[in-house]
Amino acid sequence: MSSENLPLSPEATPESSAGQQLRKPRVAVVFGGRSSEHGISVVTAGAILSAIDRTRYDVLPIGITTDGRWALTADEPERMAITDRRMPNVAEIAESVDGGVLLPLDPGNREVVYSEPGSVPKVLGDVDVVFPMLHGPYGEDGTIQGLLELSGVPYVGSGVLASAVGQDKDYMKRIFTSFGLDVGPYLVIRPREWRQDEAGARQRIAEFAGEHGWPLFIKPARAGSSIGITKVDSFEGLDEAIAEAQRHDPKILVEALLRGREIECGVLEFEDGPRASVPAEIPPVQSHDYYDFEAKYIDSTPGIVPAPLTPEQTEEIQRLAVEAFEAASCEGLVRADFFLTEDGRFVINEINTMPGFTPISMYPQMWEKSGVSYAELVDRLIQAALNRSTDLR
């Protein structure tokens, strides 16, 4: 890439020798994807597109369809919202049903190309940083991060390892335990075990239920947005719950019920290291038995920000959230989810390395109450990515 196209800090407006202002950094917002969280990724990207300061950045929206095609999309955030309880879809806002976007694979080249069958490919120009607003497998799990690492393109958020750990709740919990963080009782049923010995797998679940009691939560090990989760009160609903979880991931997680309050805390990387936001509490949704997908995104009630905690509890959860961020080698941002149990312990449930940025999402709300506005939050994440090394770090 030539020197005149190098990314610039938006704070500065240097001029070329001809006295002309150099171009603004270009941000590719990538969203959608092949996972079951496709729709919420589109909603999240719409909010990001609305928030990016167009006087500081040029923006290129790129949507990934449910079958994996990379498409140019309209830069129209208003079309990317939940409408009549229905999630949006990349295919509905794609510029073409035939064309595709190609990212560079050469670290010395950041040109994005658009190609349609029977037409000469069009060079869309350089991309300086990618904002990967993908949720779930095939995006949030380290896959797109690996692609961008190979391409030498900076991107917002955690790297390959932390993204993979943040997606796989099995290994996430193992890492947290190794760092001394408190996790709840859980059991993992791997695909090979289920294929080769269903009876043995059911017996393990029965023994787990005997030790920890009912109800149990059956969930995909590598999914988010509360998709595919079933609360099971007895053996009667177990097979159906396992089948539902396996629709999203062949590896499943069985978790015991933790009685307590759901508390979340945001972590954001500043120049001097990660800092925690004020925490938030997720109140029960009366029309739902637990915090499932519809309770989270369709019938949600406002979170309580800041959470009604004692100063000591607030300080403790902020410390634990930063510890979780560091334990998984995260970068940029994380939302850490905890249970405050009836005996006063903070038990970490999971981290989310690319939390939702929808208008009702808790991560931006927590930072808003911590003094960082939505627009500033987005800008900080882009600037951190632009300033981060694309080598090993």
Side-chain angles (χ1 to χ4, degrees), residues 72-134:
L72 275 183
T73 67
D75 187 5
E76 300 175 3
E78 65 276 6
R79 296 175 59 192
M80 300 165 71
I82 300 172
T83 305
D84 297 326
R85 303 177 67 90
R86 180 178 171 275
M87 288 287 171
N89 192 291
V90 166
E92 299 170 347
I93 56 173
E95 295 283 358
S96 167
V97 295
D98 299 316
V101 176
L102 299 176
L103 290 184
L105 294 178
D106 178 358
N109 172 26
R110 293 183 182 174
E111 286 185 341
V112 174
V113 175
Y114 178 72
S115 176
E116 286 187 339
S119 301
V120 177
K122 300 175 183 178
V123 176
L124 301 178
D126 286 5
V127 164
D128 299 301
V129 62
V130 171
F131 207 133
M133 291 311 313
L134 296 164

Side-chain angles (χ1 to χ4, degrees), residues 378-392:
V378 171
D379 183 66
R380 278 189 170 277
L381 291 169
I382 294 172
Q383 280 297 301
L386 284 168
N387 293 325
R388 186 183 303 150
S389 170
T390 54
D391 295 324
L392 290 176

